[in-house]
Amino acid sequence: MKKDRNPFNVKLFYRRTCLIVYDIISVIFASYFAVFIRYEFRLGDVPEHFLTPITSFLPINIVLTLFVCYIFRLYHSLWAFAGETELQNLVVSCAVSTILNSIGLQFFKTAGQPVPKSYYFLYLFVLISMMFISRFSYRFMRSLKHKQQNKKNGISVMVIGAGEAANVIIKEIVNSNFSTMVIRCIIDDDKGKWGRYIQGIRVAGGRDKIIECADVYDIDEIIVAMPSISRAELRKILEICKETNCKLRSLPGMYQLVNGEVNVSKLRDVEVEDLLGREPISVDLDSILGYVQSKVVLVTGGGGSIGSELCRQIACHRPRQLIIVDIYENNVYDIQQELKTRYPDLDLAVLIASVRNTNRMNWIFEHYQPDIVYHAAAHKHVPLMEDSPNEAVKNNVFGTWKTAQAAAFYGVKKFVLISTDKAVNPTNIMGASKRICEMIIQTFNNHYDTEFVAVRFGNVLGSNGSVIPLFRKQIVAGGPVTVTHPDIIRYFMTIPEAVSLVLQAGAYAKGGEIFVLDMGEPVKILDLAENLIRLSGYRVGEDIKIEFTGLRPGEKLYEELLMEEEGLKETANRLIHVGKPIEIDETQFFIQLKKLKEESKNESGDIRPLIQEIVPTYHYHR
């Protein structure tokens, strides 16, 4: 038996019936009250020949008004969510009703006396008022009830910024029937705004009032609504905010404001990178990626954090074909689906392959004939590679060798190696293996037409295996947050910045260079941990404790970006530098590589002394 698709709704029928009855009363009230207003509420002064036509036409007027209200869907709207459209329909329907009323009364006038013209304006005003009260009072009372509940159970919010973006956010929160946030105060450094109000919320003062207001108003969450502020200024404000132990959220940037996308859903948690105090690296990707357009581009390790961002930025600049190579199917599947959705016309090839497989890599290069290669595939986790040094050599060193060899043999124009600051004076196998990779591509550059180049940068915030995701997991678990040493420092950059550097290097490459990004001042890992705890709304040492576990195998307190003998030259981008290629005894180097290959293949018990022969700057604990 089929169910009725449109079952009778008793509650809806009751509401509509009540509205119709109310509208009938409204028409009657408006018809007579307009006359009484016209004669200043002196009933005895109202002429009979004015009341008679109104009374005679009233039944017809009621029917016509109900019909007009029906046409304008005044009985179909959800008045709990009524807005500008519903208000317009209400006013227009009342205006039409007034016009029909004025026409009808001409046929019912007595003794040739017309109804006063002022009556129609008064009738319209009263009718609109009555219908407005019936429709919008429900929304008002519902909103008032919701706000009262929020005051008791809601999240107390401070908004920093009193500009356009803040106004949009405040308006949405104040008017929402579903928001659990209650805005208590606004902070802005503009003295001209102090003491004034936005959507009924007072601007309490400048940034010096943040801590005081957080305490006075018992603030739970702070929203930074200043999308145009510089990174340096944002850091100063966040440094104050984090002392309040409030959760911090902000708008992503000016893009959302310009495109009208400012709303509560666009708010994001303040990230630890917001506290780095450095403006993000700026590159002209449109001009740089001119060499990518209409080219066949291959990215190894394309499913990783760096590789996948490379694929995103390359895909939006219309390559002839993008080839993603990775051994880990889950990550590469994710980026494949993302690119298919965002760029349906992109010629995309996703291949599962290991860079250690010579025949597989040769087949890929022979079949697809790439013009540009970004080699991001590598084992990067320092402690794990210390435990499995032979695997680091097989994958990083000889995976790079085989990929670079295939690139040279099949006529690739540019080959960009993703390197690391850990390759400088390495104290671990991972860094030493990446230094050998740099030596390989510099050597290949001397013998082939392919332009081989390396790009070296520091730690990437949020990348797989980086410290930030680990800290977040530890905080969610209630702590403790583990830091290896109180004095350990690192250079940091965001994933998009790292990828921008890689792409810039491809444009600048003449062959054999090692490109380095000026990443500003190094950051203490302990500061990062403390900031992340505070940004999560917890107190360091009380809610979440920090434990020091000691330096891990192969780890050092700080990383250098360049070896002293490499020197440094500027490029067109003041934040990007290039190191001079180091002279290498190629004959000896190839002999050492051959021996290294045999030792790693035979699972040598300790391959470190041989690596130190190849990389004299490599030092390790014996």
Side-chain angles (χ1 to χ4, degrees):
M1 182 178 179
K2 292 184 179 179
K3 292 184 178 180
D4 185 0
R5 294 183 180 178
N6 298 297
F8 182 73
N9 191 319
V10 177
K11 190 174 182 179
L12 183 60
F13 175 79
Y14 172 76
R15 287 182 176 178
R16 287 180 177 174
T17 301
C18 288
L19 275 179
I20 291 171
V21 172
Y22 180 90
D23 288 347
I24 292 173
I25 296 172
S26 298
V27 174
I28 296 172
F29 181 80
S31 298
Y32 291 109
F33 195 65
V35 177
F36 296 151
I37 295 175
R38 168 66 177 77
Y39 288 94
E40 299 178 352
F41 300 97
R42 293 193 294 268
L43 301 181
D45 292 346
V46 180
E48 185 66 27
H49 60 265
F50 286 167
L51 285 177
T52 300
I54 292 173
T55 303
S56 301
F57 184 66
L58 186 57
I60 300 174
N61 188 24
I62 291 173
V63 173
L64 290 175
T65 301
L66 295 180
F67 178 73
V68 170
C69 290
Y70 177 83
I71 293 298
F72 282 91
R73 308 185 69 82
L74 297 191
Y75 303 122
H76 299 80
S77 298
L78 292 173
W79 293 101
F81 309 103
E84 183 179 344
T85 300
E86 286 75 18
L87 180 59
Q88 289 175 352
N89 288 341
L90 186 149
V91 172
V92 173
S93 63
C94 290
V96 172
S97 173
T98 303
I99 293 171
L100 294 176
N101 190 18
S102 65
I103 295 173
L105 287 177
Q106 300 304 313
F107 295 98
F108 287 83
K109 61 185 178 181
T110 59
Q113 295 292 325
V115 175
K117 292 181 179 179
S118 59
Y119 163 82
Y120 301 113
F121 294 101
L122 294 171
Y123 172 84
L124 175 62
F125 173 76
V126 175
L127 187 62
I128 290 176
S129 300
M130 293 289 290
M131 289 193 174
F132 179 86
I133 291 172
S134 67
R135 267 68 178 182
F136 285 85
S137 61
Y138 176 69
R139 172 178 173 172
F140 174 76
M141 295 303 295
R142 192 168 182 268
S143 177
L144 187 62
K145 179 182 177 182
H146 181 77
K147 289 176 182 178
Q148 290 299 325
Q149 291 174 342
N150 281 350
K151 287 182 180 180
K152 297 177 182 178
N153 306 314
I155 300 170
S156 295
V157 174
M158 173 193 296
V159 174
I160 298 181
E164 183 179 347
N167 180 56
V168 175
I169 292 294
I170 294 168
K171 183 177 181 180
E172 182 174 352
I173 293 173
V174 168
N175 295 329
S176 174
N177 289 330
F178 301 98
S179 173
T180 58
M181 294 185 285
V182 180
I183 300 178
R184 302 294 186 183
C185 64
I186 302 171
I187 297 293
D188 195 283
D189 286 335
D190 185 352
K191 295 182 179 179
K193 297 177 180 178
W194 293 0
R196 298 191 177 185
Y197 292 81
I198 298 178
Q199 303 293 327
I201 312 299
R202 186 172 181 270
V203 180
R207 67 180 69 180
D208 59 313
K209 293 286 186 179
I210 291 176
I211 297 177
E212 177 185 332
C213 289
D215 181 50
V216 170
Y217 293 100
D218 197 20
I219 300 298
D220 301 307
E221 186 170 309
I222 297 175
I223 296 176
V224 181
M226 297 185 294
S228 60
I229 194 173
S230 69
R231 183 67 66 88
E233 281 301 305
L234 177 62
R235 181 190 180 187
K236 293 177 183 178
I237 291 174
L238 293 180
E239 287 289 346
I240 299 172
C241 291
K242 71 182 184 181
E243 300 301 323
T244 65
N245 293 316
C246 297
K247 182 177 181 181
L248 303 181
R249 300 174 77 188
S250 71
L251 287 171
M254 278 299 293
Y255 175 83
Q256 281 71 21
L257 180 61
V258 172
N259 288 274
E261 297 180 4
V262 174
N263 54 55
V264 174
S265 65
K266 296 296 180 181
L267 292 173
R268 64 168 175 84
D269 289 346
V270 170
E271 302 289 352
V272 70
E273 51 261 39
D274 294 321
L275 294 169
L276 293 183
R278 173 176 55 80
E279 293 295 330
I281 181 173
S282 176
V283 295
D284 184 0
L285 287 180
D286 289 328
S287 61
I288 293 169
L289 289 180
Y291 73 92
V292 171
Q293 187 174 349
S294 302
K295 299 292 197 304
V296 178
V297 184
L298 185 148
V299 180
T300 69
S305 50
I306 297 295
S308 61
E309 180 63 22
L310 271 168
C311 294
R312 291 184 190 97
Q313 293 195 24
I314 292 169
C316 69
H317 285 80
R318 300 187 298 280
R320 178 153 58 93
Q321 186 178 35
L322 175 60
I323 306 153
I324 303 177
V325 176
D326 204 299
I327 191 61
Y328 185 45
E329 63 200 48
N330 292 345
N331 282 351
V332 81
Y333 174 80
D334 290 339
I335 188 64
Q336 178 190 44
Q337 298 308 305
E338 178 185 335
L339 294 181
K340 279 185 176 181
T341 301
R342 293 176 61 183
Y343 308 102
D345 298 329
L346 175 66
D347 185 353
L348 178 65
V350 178
L351 308 174
I352 301 300
S354 170
V355 293
R356 294 158 62 166
N357 187 327
T358 305
N359 293 335
R360 176 64 168 156
M361 295 308 295
N362 285 340
W363 182 90
I364 290 172
F365 277 81
E366 181 182 14
H367 184 78
Y368 290 97
Q369 294 290 314
D371 300 300
I372 304 170
V373 173
Y374 294 97
H375 182 53
H379 287 326
K380 305 180 183 73
H381 202 281
V382 171
L384 290 179
M385 293 306 99
E386 289 301 294
D387 294 333
S388 304
N390 291 314
E391 292 303 305
V393 169
K394 293 174 191 174
N395 194 72
N396 294 0
V397 175
F398 294 105
T400 297
W401 174 286
K402 293 173 181 180
T403 306
Q405 195 170 50
F409 186 79
Y410 290 101
V412 170
K413 295 179 178 61
K414 292 180 185 288
F415 183 100
V416 182
L417 167 71
I418 310 300
S419 190
T420 171
D421 57 358
K422 293 177 175 60
V424 184
N425 298 325
T427 58
N428 53 69
I429 286 292
M430 195 283 284
S433 68
K434 296 298 281 186
R435 176 56 196 151
I436 297 175
C437 293
E438 293 177 353
M439 296 167 70
I440 289 172
I441 65 105
Q442 287 183 317
T443 303
F444 274 42
N445 188 73
N446 296 331
H447 298 276
Y448 299 100
D449 294 332
T450 301
E451 294 174 350
F452 288 92
V453 62
V455 184
R456 185 188 290 164
F457 47 78
N459 297 273
V460 181
L461 288 169
S463 65
N464 296 331
S466 69
V467 70
I468 302 301
L470 173 61
F471 286 168
R472 286 199 177 104
K473 290 179 181 178
Q474 292 174 335
I475 291 170
V476 170
V481 171
T482 56
V483 177
T484 56
H485 193 282
D487 297 324
I488 191 169
I489 62 173
R490 291 291 182 267
Y491 292 93
F492 281 97
M493 64 194 315
T494 65
I495 293 175
E497 284 179 318
V499 169
S500 296
L501 174 62
V502 174
L503 297 174
Q504 185 110 49
Y508 288 164
K510 295 294 186 292
E513 304 98 333
I514 297 176
F515 288 92
V516 183
L517 173 66
D518 179 0
M519 296 186 297
E521 297 298 320
V523 179
K524 290 184 68 173
I525 300 299
L526 176 59
D527 291 342
L528 279 181
E530 291 176 344
N531 287 335
L532 200 56
I533 292 171
R534 291 192 181 102
L535 291 177
S536 301
Y538 299 105
R539 291 167 295 183
V540 178
E542 296 181 36
D543 302 320
I544 302 290
K545 296 184 182 299
I546 295 178
E547 289 186 0
F548 298 104
T549 58
L551 291 176
R552 298 172 297 182
E555 191 172 46
K556 53 184 176 179
L557 286 177
Y558 64 95
E559 309 286 0
E560 305 105 318
L561 292 177
L562 273 174
M563 288 184 286
E564 291 180 2
E565 64 268 29
E566 286 180 290
L568 207 64
K569 291 182 180 179
E570 291 187 352
T571 66
N573 188 322
R574 63 181 180 82
L575 295 178
I576 300 176
H577 306 276
V578 59
K580 183 179 67 176
I582 299 174
E583 295 296 325
I584 299 173
D585 184 338
E586 294 184 3
T587 302
Q588 179 67 16
F589 179 53
F590 287 126
I591 293 173
Q592 291 172 327
L593 282 181
K594 183 178 180 181
K595 185 177 180 181
L596 182 66
K597 184 177 182 179
E598 293 173 355
E599 290 291 322
S600 62
K601 186 178 179 180
N602 294 329
E603 300 298 338
S604 170
D606 189 3
I607 206 169
R608 289 174 175 81
L610 180 54
I611 292 177
Q612 191 175 49
E613 289 181 18
I614 302 173
V615 184
T617 56
Y618 168 50
H619 301 283
Y620 63 96
H621 294 289
R622 300 178 185 277

